[in-house]
Each structure stands twice: as structure tokens, then as C-alpha cells.
Amino acid sequence: MIDSYDPLVVGRRVRELRSAAGLTLSDLAGRLGRAPSHLSMVENGKRELRLGELHAVAGALGVDVADLLSQAPRSRRAQLEIALERAQRSPLFTSLGLAPLAVRKTLPDQAIETVLALLSELEKVHEQRAATPEQARRANTALRAEMRRRGNHLAELETTAATLLAAVDYTGGPLSQRVVADLAGHLGFTIHHVGDLPASTRSLTDLEGRRIYLPRQSEAGRDPRSTLLQALAGAVLDHRPPEDYESFLRQRVESNYLAGALLVPQATAVPLLKAAKERRELSVEDLRDAYAVTYETAAHRFTNLATEHLGIPVHFLKVHESGTIAKAYENDDVRFPSDPLGTVEGQLVCRYWAARRVFAVEDRFSPYHQLTDKPGGTYWCTSSIQTTGRGAFSLSVGTSFPHAKWFRGMDADQRFTSTCPDENCCRTPPAALAQRWAGRALPSPRLNASLFATLPTTPSMTSASPPGVDTTDAYRFLDRHSGGGRP
């Protein structure tokens, strides 16, 4: 078994060995039976090779697999180029809005070293400014990067789900509550609905007595099957009280993933999705309806399966009606708003993105489709609104424009332009509003909006806006309720 490796280092080594062998990208791709675009992603460190692919590439290049997996750069120059590439992919560099520095043979080593040193010092400054718990924010960012690298697909949990479903004779279609109860019994648990479950818990599992306690009434907008399946997943995966925030986040992701894989099994969902792709009729709504799950569960499962089985890069956003991100995932290179350390949760989404535009749509029954021209390219997105006990959330699934052709609604008549993270796009209040209210407003943010957010770094906003607060919305509210005139 091969341990995990750095795709960027291996990709660069593939490129060096290919060039040394006198092969073009198309030459090597032809030997491997792959598209040149696929091999280009490998060489750029954006796609990880599986075990079989590693052997195939090594054979095509006439080297051993160990030559590809060696983590030591072949030269000082290679080491510098890899370090620069890695630095330019960091959340800090992305937040600066600078064009990446092209690495050419004419670029001196000293220039690369200087850029790396500057970025290192800038990283230190931003780390010192971070106002929320470092461990939590770093762990969240690292886990998101890992899921992006894996295409949001956890093959080992898909296998576990298939084994569990086979044990209770599941044959297809929506997973009924009876089958879920049978699964609990198969695992040796009894289910108990109580009225005094602690308010801070969704469920409580007694591992010694093999009892799972659930609330008598489910939270608005939440599938009661998911709550039970997540509790069972924790037991199946042998989760224990987490020692740190990284463990806590990983356990939550694994439990949610396994629950979703049970509700929407890979074995039956993939053929359904492939058939829809052939018809150019991919739809989150159809996946939701086929398995009688919530839109959020269907959206998550689509991201689990789309890249791995359909070859479609995607992104997912769950955004509170306040405009702040609750959950996010991407592997299509869309740029989410983030702080310099890469934290996405708690950040404000551009008001021109579908995830926020959907709140202004009166028809909440039909899916909302939109094209958005962003700094990194044009993206298509479908959004829906879910109402919960914690407020309304938009749930969005999107992809880069070349892949929109596979989806129903790709010919969206809604199209907007976003230049975020440019402050002049939508984050800076209009001059008249700013002049009227700067220094005279003190909004109080919602907890979920500010939990992960750092303090604003724009000097003009610092005195007026706590983390997670949309200053423009706050000023507009005050302007309406004050009559728009000076006191």
C-alpha cells in the first residue's frame, strides 16, 4: 500500500521525466490512453494519481514507481518552483487579488526566494491579526483542502455503506424508516425518543447500553432519518470523544458522509446520474425526489459522486439569509470569500452570486439557475432555499461554464457579474451611505455569522462593522428607518 503523497511534487516530477524523455504532453497522454487535459492536471498537482495510474505512468516513462513518489526535489531550482507554486495557491496569496507569477526559465532563483520570503513574512502578520481560535480555523481549512484533493469522495465509506445496506436486504429506492430501524437493530441498538434531550445535542448514544436517544420532534427542515443514521455512523466508525478540533471536524464529516451514502447509495445513484448526464438533464431535484431526501442531502451526495463518476468539477455553498457562509466545498477552482488563513465559514458571499440572489426570488418552489461572471471565469449555479429553525439558508450547487451543458437549466436567463473580493464590487457601501453612517452605526452580528470570521481589515470599516456583518445592508437599514436625513 502506498502512503499519501504530495500531488504537486509528483506532478512536477512527471513533467521533468516526460521532458527528459523527449515526450510532449500529447505523446504521454496517448501512451496512457488519457486526454492531455487530464495529464496536465496531474502535472500541475491538481489531480492525484491512483495506484494503478502511478504504475501506468511509471511504465510509460520507463522508470520505477519509486522514482515518481520520491518527495525530494531533483534540484534546488525544482524545490523553489514547487515552493512558489504552493505559496501562490495559498488562501493568503488568493486574498491579495494578485496575478500568479509565471515561472519561466529566465526567472532568477533569487527573485523566487525574495517572493517566498515576502509571502512568509506577510503570513506571519496575518496570523497575528487573526481574532478567532487558530486551531479551529486551521483544522477546518486543512480538512476542506483534503476533501478537495479527494474530489469530496470517500471510497472507504462508500464500501461501508454498501455492506450495511446489504446486511438489511436493501434493494433500492428511498430508504424507509423501517429499514433504518432494522439497521439500528442489526448493529445492536435500540431507539428511544425523549422530550428532555439536551438542547445542545441532536442525538445521544449510550454505547454501554446500546441505546440511541432522539428528540420527539425533529428540527424544522431536518430529515429524522439523517439524525439517526449519523448517530449510527458514529458507532460504526468507532468515534470517541475528540481530543482536538481537527478530530471533531473529521468525525463530523465522516458521520455525515456515511449517513448520506446510506440514504443515497452509490450503487443505484451513479447509474441514475450517468443516464441524466447523457440526456443533459442532471438535476439535484431529481436526485432528491428519487431517494426522498432533503435538498441539502441530495446536493451533498451530488458533490460526492459528480467528480468521481461523472468527471464534473463542482462547488457547493450553504449560505444563511444574512449572506454568511455556513458550509462550502469546491474543486472547480471557484474562489470563495476567505480570510488570509483560508477560513470560509462566516465570510460574506458576494450579493451578485446565486447563493444570495435566490433570496430575492418570489418563486421558492422552482429551482433558481444563474450564470455569474467571476474573476476566475464564468460559473453556472442552481440554488434552492431551505427554511430551518435557525433561519433560511440557500443551498447551491454549481460548476464552471464548460460543464454546465450537462445540467437542466443551463440556459439560465439570469446573469450577473461579480468582481469580489474587490471591495468595490459590493462590500463597500455607496459613498453617500458611508458618509451618512460611518462612525454612527453599531450593528450586533449573529453568532453563526461571526464564529469563524476575523476582524475586518479595511480601515474605513473597522469602527463600524463587527466580523460577519454586511455593512451595506446595515447602513441601508438605518437609512430607511431614520428617514434618510441627518439627526
Side-chain angles (χ1 to χ4, degrees):
M1 181 176 180
I2 295 177
D3 294 331
S4 60
Y5 62 84
D6 187 338
L8 183 58
V9 175
V10 172
R12 187 59 58 93
R13 191 172 296 277
V14 170
R15 179 183 297 170
E16 290 176 351
L17 291 170
R18 173 178 62 76
S19 298
L23 298 174
T24 66
L25 195 67
S26 297
D27 291 338
L28 183 56
R31 292 187 181 185
L32 296 171
R34 292 281 190 173
S37 58
H38 173 88
L39 187 58
S40 177
M41 290 182 67
V42 171
E43 291 191 354
N44 288 320
K46 294 182 177 180
R47 190 177 186 92
E48 185 173 348
L49 291 169
R50 297 179 182 175
L51 179 59
E53 292 175 315
L54 282 168
H55 282 285
V57 171
L61 292 171
V63 299
D64 294 330
V65 172
D67 293 328
L68 295 181
L69 293 177
S70 174
Q71 297 295 290
R74 294 165 64 91
S75 65
R76 171 61 178 165
R77 176 68 181 195
Q79 183 180 14
L80 288 174
E81 290 184 0
I82 290 171
L84 181 60
E85 180 73 23
R86 191 175 288 129
Q88 293 186 138
R89 293 183 184 182
S90 70
L92 171 60
F93 187 87
T94 301
S95 71
L96 298 176
L98 299 175
L101 180 63
V103 180
R104 298 185 175 90
K105 293 181 179 179
T106 55
L107 183 65
D109 291 2
Q110 186 177 2
I112 299 178
E113 291 172 345
T114 300
V115 171
L116 290 173
L118 287 172
L119 288 174
S120 177
E121 290 302 312
L122 192 57
E123 181 87 32
K124 292 177 183 178
V125 171
H126 281 283
E127 286 178 0
Q128 293 169 359
R129 297 173 92 174
T132 49
E134 287 298 316
Q135 182 187 19
R137 300 170 66 245
R138 287 185 179 278
N140 215 29
T141 302
L143 184 56
R144 182 182 299 105
E146 179 183 338
M147 294 304 293
R148 184 188 196 280
R149 179 174 60 81
R150 300 183 68 172
N152 208 31
H153 185 267
L154 303 179
E156 64 276 14
L157 295 188
E158 300 286 356
T159 301
T160 300
T163 301
L164 291 171
L165 290 172
V168 291
D169 299 322
Y170 166 81
T171 56
L175 196 67
S176 68
Q177 292 191 14
R178 180 192 62 80
V179 174
V180 174
D182 288 346
L183 182 58
H186 168 73
L187 295 170
F189 286 95
T190 56
I191 304 169
H192 304 268
H193 291 87
V194 296
D196 59 346
L197 194 70
S200 61
T201 62
R202 287 177 176 169
S203 67
L204 193 56
T205 302
D206 175 0
L207 293 173
E208 182 180 23
R210 308 296 286 180
R211 296 161 68 93
I212 295 178
Y213 296 97
L214 301 170
R216 285 178 181 163
Q217 291 187 333
S218 297
E219 179 184 345
R222 186 169 182 79
D223 188 338
R225 296 173 300 170
S226 293
T227 304
L228 175 54
L229 289 172
Q230 287 166 5
L232 290 172
V236 169
L237 299 173
D238 196 28
H239 287 167
R240 290 293 184 265
E243 298 178 355
D244 51 35
Y245 204 87
E246 180 181 2
S247 300
F248 165 72
L249 283 178
R250 187 172 297 277
Q251 288 181 6
R252 187 175 66 173
V253 167
E254 291 175 347
S255 294
N256 290 345
Y257 192 107
L258 183 53
L262 290 166
L263 287 167
V264 184
Q266 177 177 257
T268 54
V270 170
L272 183 152
L273 291 173
K274 285 185 174 180
K277 182 185 178 185
E278 290 181 3
R279 301 192 307 271
R280 302 196 174 204
E281 284 282 318
L282 282 173
S283 164
V284 176
E285 289 79 17
D286 287 353
L287 192 63
R288 173 198 63 190
D289 295 342
Y291 292 93
V293 294
T294 65
Y295 188 94
E296 183 171 2
T297 295
H300 273 303
R301 282 304 280 160
F302 186 84
T303 69
N304 295 154
L305 304 173
T307 305
E308 178 72 14
H309 295 285
L310 306 179
I312 300 176
V314 291
H315 67 264
F316 167 83
L317 271 174
K318 181 176 182 180
V319 175
H320 188 259
E321 57 190 329
S322 63
T324 54
I325 297 176
K327 296 180 183 178
Y329 162 79
E330 64 83 20
N331 69 352
D332 58 0
D333 294 325
V334 70
R335 285 180 60 184
F336 290 142
S338 67
D339 68 19
L341 298 183
T343 299
V344 169
E345 287 78 6
Q347 304 298 314
L348 283 169
V349 171
C350 177
R351 63 182 65 248
Y352 300 119
W353 285 22
R356 289 189 69 178
R357 296 293 307 177
V358 67
F359 286 108
V361 177
E362 292 185 4
D363 178 8
R364 295 198 171 184
F365 182 79
S366 304
Y368 174 75
H369 308 301
Q370 178 180 312
L371 289 169
T372 309
D373 298 311
K374 303 174 182 178
T378 299
Y379 287 82
W380 175 88
C381 199
T382 178
S383 299
S384 182
I385 291 180
Q386 168 183 277
T387 302
T388 74
R390 294 169 288 116
F393 290 85
S394 68
L395 301 164
S396 306
V397 173
T399 188
S400 52
F401 183 75
H403 297 278
K405 62 185 178 183
W406 308 115
F407 291 81
R408 183 188 306 146
M410 64 79 59
D411 52 347
D413 56 3
Q414 298 291 326
R415 187 164 188 163
F416 294 87
T417 298
S418 167
T419 60
C420 279
D422 177 6
E423 291 288 337
N424 294 320
C425 177
C426 68
R427 298 182 185 279
T428 302
L433 276 179
Q435 184 178 6
R436 169 71 179 89
W437 291 108
R440 300 183 183 90
L442 186 61
S444 179
R446 293 175 180 267
L447 177 62
N448 70 317
S450 59
L451 184 60
F452 289 102
T454 55
L455 291 174
T457 56
T458 305
S460 61
M461 297 174 61
T462 303
S463 60
S465 178
V469 169
D470 188 318
T471 310
T472 302
D473 281 351
Y475 285 179
R476 283 177 175 169
F477 171 87
L478 290 172
D479 220 41
R480 288 195 305 273
H481 285 266
S482 70
R486 287 184 176 275

